[in-house]
Amino acid sequence: MIVGVPKEIKNNENRVSMTPAGVHQFVAAGHEVLIQKGAGLGSGITDEEYIKEGAKILDTAKEIFDSAEMIVKVKEPQAVEIEMLKEGQILYTYLHLAPDKPQTIGLIEKKVVGIAYETIEVNRKLPLLEPMSEVAGKMASMMAAHFLAKPYGGRGMLAGGVAGTHSAKFVILGGGTAGINAAKIAAGLGAKVVVMDVNLERMRYLEDVLPKNCETIMSNRYNIMNEIKDADAVIGTVLIPGAKAPHLITRDMLKLMQPGAVIVDVSIDQGGCVETSRPTTHQDPVYEVDGIIHYCVANMPGAYARTSTFALTNATLSYGLEIANKGWKKAALENPAIFKGVNVYDGHVTCKPVAEAHELPYTDLSLLIQ
């Protein structure tokens, strides 16, 4: 199979979807790998490193899209990239379709095979999302602590305080991979940390593994309203696989919060779990609503590109190789994880939460590829 890796063009997206080690393995398996010139530079990977492992370097994204049978990316295709896709082409990347109807319609119209990293599922876990959730969770507490500084509009609270003063209070919505990593960093900074979740078993685990300046509280509207009243930072990490994130904090709840408090909405890729959230960029990361600072960068791990690239490709490589080795249909039929990753195919939406989010017809993939 001819596998193409274009340079990411989303604002400040410095990750790349394949490392030299990945090229080595694809080439060893008999595939041809095309890399766009400079695609790895944001992650500290040179064209020469790719060439050494057998990749061919092409100058433009159009050459990549024109030649490749499978496009491997990091972020969802931008409008100009959707235009370059071809019918039947495999697109293997983060898609996050539920909050993005224009992209969904674009992929339907192009009749591509859209395989989303974020819906590949194994034993109720999302192995291709987890490494980026680790990065985003750790970043979330770092960014919250940063924007709490008065020059950036925050309350002027130091996360850990100092002797004789209160430490900041961080409320984390969701105790999954992003949530636990946010809690670790916030706790390490010395903040008082409250992790809210609906799963008692998960909260028992968190109580065991997190330090003593963390506590868990059952997540419901009443408790959320109480906990955010004196919060200095609120970090939203809620995720329903493939679906639009629910709004756990509504616009009217912002008035309960202290002026200058910071919200970091890690869920923004799936629409955000705060009603007033909207996607921002690393170039312009925050805005204010009703006195509350919102940080809603939609590609947080792109800021720590080298770490994120290697963490992501460690997870994506084996599935990408399986798709290339077997062809996507055989791979999907033989591997339920890949089957769940197929969001669109031949003009059909094959991921039910995406269809429901946009009120589009849903087609069971098994009816299309048996």
Side-chain angles (χ1 to χ4, degrees):
M1 185 177 285
I2 302 172
V3 179
V5 176
K7 184 175 182 178
E8 297 295 321
I9 60 173
K10 189 164 185 168
N11 181 285
N12 278 281
E13 183 49 73
N14 294 299
R15 289 172 287 181
V16 64
S17 62
M18 197 176 297
T19 62
V23 172
H24 180 94
Q25 290 191 240
F26 270 97
V27 171
H31 306 293
E32 183 179 354
V33 181
L34 310 176
I35 308 275
Q36 187 179 348
K37 184 178 180 180
L41 293 178
S43 296
I45 302 169
T46 65
D47 291 344
E48 288 70 28
E49 289 177 88
Y50 286 125
I51 292 169
K52 184 180 176 183
E53 300 307 327
K56 182 179 179 183
I57 304 296
L58 299 181
D59 286 334
T60 67
K62 187 175 187 304
E63 290 176 274
I64 299 286
F65 280 83
D66 282 350
S67 303
E69 297 165 83
M70 176 164 71
I71 299 291
V72 183
K73 280 179 44 61
V74 177
K75 290 304 291 178
E76 72 281 353
Q78 305 302 291
V80 66
E81 293 174 312
I82 291 174
E83 284 302 310
M84 290 188 283
L85 287 166
K86 300 180 298 185
E87 183 175 339
Q89 203 165 36
I90 302 165
L91 175 63
Y92 180 52
T93 186
Y94 286 119
L95 290 176
H96 298 295
L97 293 178
D100 190 346
K101 192 166 187 176
Q103 185 202 168
T104 306
I105 297 299
L107 298 184
I108 289 170
E109 290 177 348
K110 285 290 183 173
K111 293 189 173 183
V112 297
V113 184
I115 303 177
Y117 294 164
E118 72 274 8
T119 61
I120 286 179
E121 188 174 334
V122 180
N123 297 326
R124 303 189 70 179
K125 291 183 178 293
L126 305 171
L128 277 59
L129 191 61
E130 283 184 353
M132 296 303 91
S133 295
E134 289 180 272
V135 174
K138 290 182 175 183
M139 272 189 71
S141 288
M142 293 163 58
M143 294 300 103
H146 176 77
F147 286 103
L148 273 171
K150 198 68 178 177
Y152 307 117
R155 296 193 67 233
M157 285 289 289
L158 184 64
V162 294
T165 71
H166 287 294
S167 57
K169 177 181 175 182
F170 280 49
V171 174
I172 298 168
L173 304 177
T177 302
I180 191 173
N181 280 277
K184 286 176 183 177
I185 297 301
L189 292 170
K192 175 186 176 183
V193 182
V194 175
V195 183
M196 307 189 74
D197 203 286
V198 295
N199 185 326
L200 280 170
E201 185 178 347
R202 180 65 177 178
M203 287 192 281
R204 290 188 186 102
Y205 169 75
L206 295 174
E207 289 277 352
D208 282 343
V209 300
L210 290 173
K212 294 304 177 186
N213 53 331
C214 298
E215 64 178 337
T216 59
I217 300 290
M218 176 59 70
S219 181
N220 56 50
R221 182 176 168 83
Y222 178 85
N223 285 345
I224 291 171
M225 289 171 69
N226 277 330
E227 293 299 329
I228 67 174
K229 285 177 183 176
D230 61 345
D232 298 289
V234 176
I235 297 173
T237 70
V238 178
L239 174 72
I240 299 172
K244 203 168 185 295
H247 288 158
L248 299 188
I249 295 181
T250 55
R251 174 73 182 258
D252 64 301
M253 291 165 71
L254 296 187
K255 66 179 182 289
L256 301 173
M257 298 177 68
Q258 304 175 99
V262 175
I263 290 175
V264 178
D265 197 341
V266 180
S267 305
I268 194 64
D269 271 335
Q270 292 294 139
C273 64
V274 179
E275 186 179 9
T276 44
S277 291
R278 56 175 171 79
T280 61
T281 66
H282 290 293
Q283 193 172 323
D284 188 14
V286 297
Y287 60 93
E288 176 264 325
V289 178
D290 295 345
I292 308 302
I293 305 301
H294 291 57
Y295 176 100
C296 305
V297 175
N299 61 326
M300 291 175 68
Y304 295 91
R306 188 165 176 87
T307 295
S308 297
T309 284
F310 283 89
L312 176 62
T313 56
N314 286 343
T316 59
L317 179 60
S318 62
Y319 295 99
L321 272 172
E322 188 173 351
I323 292 164
N325 289 340
K326 296 179 178 179
W328 79 268
K329 287 185 181 179
K330 189 170 189 287
L333 288 170
E334 293 183 357
N335 188 336
I338 293 173
F339 188 95
K340 287 191 173 183
V342 182
N343 280 208
V344 293
Y345 165 56
D346 194 30
H348 300 274
V349 178
T350 54
C351 177
K352 196 169 187 179
V354 171
E356 290 173 346
H358 301 309
E359 298 181 337
L360 292 169
Y362 162 72
T363 306
D364 188 327
L365 181 62
S366 60
L367 300 176
L368 301 173
I369 63 171
Q370 289 293 0

